[in-house]
Amino acid sequence: MDVYLVQNSRKVLKDGLLKRSKRRWSPLPFNIIENDVPPFPKEVDLVASDSSAAYKVYYTLSGPGVTEDPVGVFSVVKETGMLKVHRAVDREVTPQFIFQARVFDRYTNQETDLPLPITVNVEDVNDNAPTFTGQLQFTVLEQSNTGTVVGKVNAIDKDEPDTDHTKIRYSLLSGTNLFYINPETGVISTKTDTLDREVNDKHLVTVDIRDMNGALNGLSNTATATIVVGDINDNPPTFKKTSYNVSVMENQEKGLILRIPIEDKDLINTPNWNSEFIITKGNENGNFRMERDPKTNEGLIYLTKPLDYEKTKNLKLDVMARNQAELSGTNAKWVSIPVDVTVGDVDEGPEFTAPIVRFTVQENTPNDTLIGTYTAVDPETKSSAGIKYYKVSDPASWINVDESTGQLKIANTIDRESHFVVGGVYNVTMKAVDASRKTGTGTVIIQVEDMNDHVPDILSKDLVLCEKDGGEMGSVLVVAEDKDQAPFSAPFSFKLGEKHDDKWAVKPLNSTAVMLAQTKELPTGLYTVPLMVGDLQGFGSTQTVTVRICRCRNGACLAQQNSTSLGVWGILAMLLGLALLLLLFLVCSLWTNNNIHSPLPTSSFTLSATMSILYRIMFTWSTFSLQKLAYLGTEEEGRYADDIIHTYGFEGVGSPAGSVGCCSDQVNQEDLNFLNTLGPKFKVLAEVCTNK
């Protein structure tokens, strides 16, 4: 291979110095064959610079394949520029090398030309067989049309792209009677429409891939592709028998009575196999239901309502089996089989003519009145002979039952307003007993009709009317109720009784209430007012209400206390207690002062003067208090309730002496003997007064 060196400038001698001019190296790329065989090294081609004509030069190489990984693949003969390769190269690992050549003057070691990039291409040989990629398992539904795509086989080849070395051709080595593969694309398709999952649910086909476009000298690989045949619902469920029989006793409790096994060729535990069962005939009364056993796929018939032998001795059911999925790819239909149900006879207890019977009775109907008859019959004989009747439940004991005939009579007064009557209905439970002691029960519903046996009654007859200022007239609400129902109750009529005193008037409010209003200004006090209250039928009575007119706070009369209720001696005792308390403080003070500073005569004089002053103060106070009490006594009851003595909280909690007030625990306020038994209270006061 030749190397062309293009010179575009020359060296010139100037000022006695050697100058280097630019050059351009333009060699063609070098080629080597991958996986070349020994011996090595082998010559590749010359790398030469046209500066070698003017200078004595040498060559160097650097870069990948020389001084960088992979190191030592190439070298250059220093003096001649011959490029050599030292070992085999794999194109699939390194398809190309690019490294750099440089040329130097042997004497000055100066470069005589610009550096030259060297490209070495590795030529491909067909040393890699094609390989399969991706999955080799496909699915196609049974009975698919001819030409239905099953899947695509994928393969790759590591050799040079876009050459025969990587041009792959596909072929089938087996399964060619059912499937076809496109030789260029690898797509597998069906060759027939007869695939049947129930005959063969899986096919194994051998696929061959070969490069060199399938030539005999091409490299190849084979693999097995698995083609699964998918299920369609082309097989309906079938019964193992042509009919079934089952026996059920009458009055048998609900539960499983029959299992019906089936067969289905479709794929197990899929909608194509899962069964569903329908009773298409004979279950008009809803005595049965069907379910599927999820483990066995069997049909299960359940009894949901007891059967009656006397009414039905035999039932013929038609049971159809189908799948959850609709049929496909077949002309078959869902199939049904007959199921014969035989009902067994049981000796049963008597049955009442109806489970529930209703009679209408007016309240207060006289005792021993016949209200009706409730009888039972033997289900087998349809006769009432020998049956006895009893009460099971009669909460208010209002009914008597004739044991032999089942006649119902009034035993006690029926009251519609009784709490035993709910919504106007009273219930009695009865029992019928036959000769074999078997029983049956029934319910008697008594609809109680209302009578006008109650008059309207005023709910609250003690009323409060708060006194208003400025002579304004007040009124109070009067409400009545009647235990009877319409038309024997509201709307009510209200009017004043015959003996009223014209101080009050009735003002309608609604159907059950009026306002009782003053007609003139009235002082505080109690007033009785007769009121005649009647129902819609005019049935009623005169009732008396009491109206208290008073001064109010928050809608209630003020406390009815009289300021003089404490009594004169009570007030005096309180004042005396206060005076004695002050006296004790003064005595303590004087006693302490006397012991420290003053002689006894001075102390005695001071004590005497103090007592005199206290005496004057205390009965001045008592005179004033008596005048105050006399004034309060002339006022109306409760008028000055805020101006009297009040009891306040106990302040001695936690103290061994309790409250230090000397009178705080005295009940009899006129007894002054407590002065001799002050005990710990005085001790507390003394400690306060003592100068420590």
Side-chain angles (χ1 to χ4, degrees), residues 226-288:
T226 301
I227 301 175
V228 176
V229 180
D231 186 42
I232 63 173
N233 194 19
D234 56 345
N235 293 280
T238 58
F239 294 97
K240 293 185 176 181
K241 296 173 65 175
T242 57
S243 65
Y244 287 89
N245 297 282
V246 62
S247 295
V248 178
M249 299 305 294
E250 68 170 328
N251 301 323
Q252 180 175 321
E253 293 188 0
K254 59 185 179 182
L256 178 65
I257 61 171
L258 182 64
R259 283 180 172 267
I260 302 178
I262 62 165
E263 292 180 338
D264 196 312
K265 296 179 180 179
D266 290 314
L267 185 60
I268 188 171
N269 294 327
T270 67
N272 298 336
W273 180 83
N274 295 340
S275 61
E276 290 182 348
F277 296 89
I278 303 169
I279 302 175
T280 59
K281 183 180 178 182
N283 193 33
E284 289 74 18
N285 292 328
N287 294 96
F288 308 95

Side-chain angles (χ1 to χ4, degrees), residues 9 14 19 179 208 235 308 312 315 371 373 376-377 409 418 423 425 433 481 495 504 556 645 675 678 685:
S9 61
K14 183 178 181 182
K19 300 293 183 181
F179 304 99
D208 179 83
N235 293 280
D308 188 347
T312 307
L315 284 168
I371 65 171
T373 302
V377 296
K409 294 183 178 181
S418 168
V425 169
V433 183
E481 72 170 1
K495 63 181 179 178
W504 304 91
I645 296 175
L675 295 174
L678 290 176
L685 291 173

Side-chain angles (χ1 to χ4, degrees), residues 551-564:
R551 301 289 290 182
C552 294
R553 175 177 294 159
N554 298 326
C557 290
L558 293 172
Q560 298 178 15
Q561 301 183 53
N562 194 311
S563 297
T564 60

Side-chain angles (χ1 to χ4, degrees), residues 20 61 120 149 189 220 267 310 316 336 352 358 378 419 434 456 594 610 626 654 684:
R20 193 183 71 178
L61 299 177
V120 179
V149 172
S189 305
S220 66
L267 185 60
E310 285 69 38
K316 295 188 180 296
S336 298
F352 279 97
R358 182 183 295 267
D378 187 296
H419 68 277
D434 64 14
N594 178 61
T610 302
L626 289 173
V684 174

Side-chain angles (χ1 to χ4, degrees), residues 91-143:
R91 189 205 69 84
E92 284 70 49
V93 176
T94 311
Q96 187 181 68
F97 294 88
I98 300 176
F99 46 86
Q100 195 173 62
R102 301 176 71 181
V103 57
F104 296 87
D105 188 302
R106 294 185 186 182
Y107 302 107
T108 63
N109 290 326
Q110 291 184 353
E111 287 187 79
T112 60
D113 211 336
L114 295 176
L116 173 68
I118 301 296
T119 299
V120 179
N121 292 322
V122 181
E123 293 183 354
D124 184 44
V125 295
N126 192 20
D127 58 344
N128 290 279
T131 58
F132 292 93
T133 62
Q135 56 91 22
L136 285 173
Q137 182 161 323
F138 312 103
T139 299
V140 62
L141 290 177
E142 61 179 330
Q143 299 188 31

Side-chain angles (χ1 to χ4, degrees), residues 22 32 59 66 94 111 152 199 268 297 322 332 334 383 408 497 516:
K22 293 182 180 180
I32 61 173
Y59 298 91
V66 183
T94 311
E111 287 187 79
K152 183 178 185 300
V199 174
I268 188 171
N297 212 27
R322 56 161 295 152
W334 308 123
S383 171
L408 308 176
L516 185 60

Side-chain angles (χ1 to χ4, degrees), residues 570 572-581 659-669 671-672 674-675 678 681:
L572 290 178
M574 294 177 62
L575 294 174
L576 179 58
L578 179 61
L580 287 174
L581 184 61
S659 173
V660 298
C662 62
C663 308
S664 61
D665 57 355
Q666 299 303 311
V667 177
N668 186 353
Q669 297 180 356
D671 185 3
L672 302 182
F674 67 90
L675 295 174
L678 290 176
K681 296 179 182 292

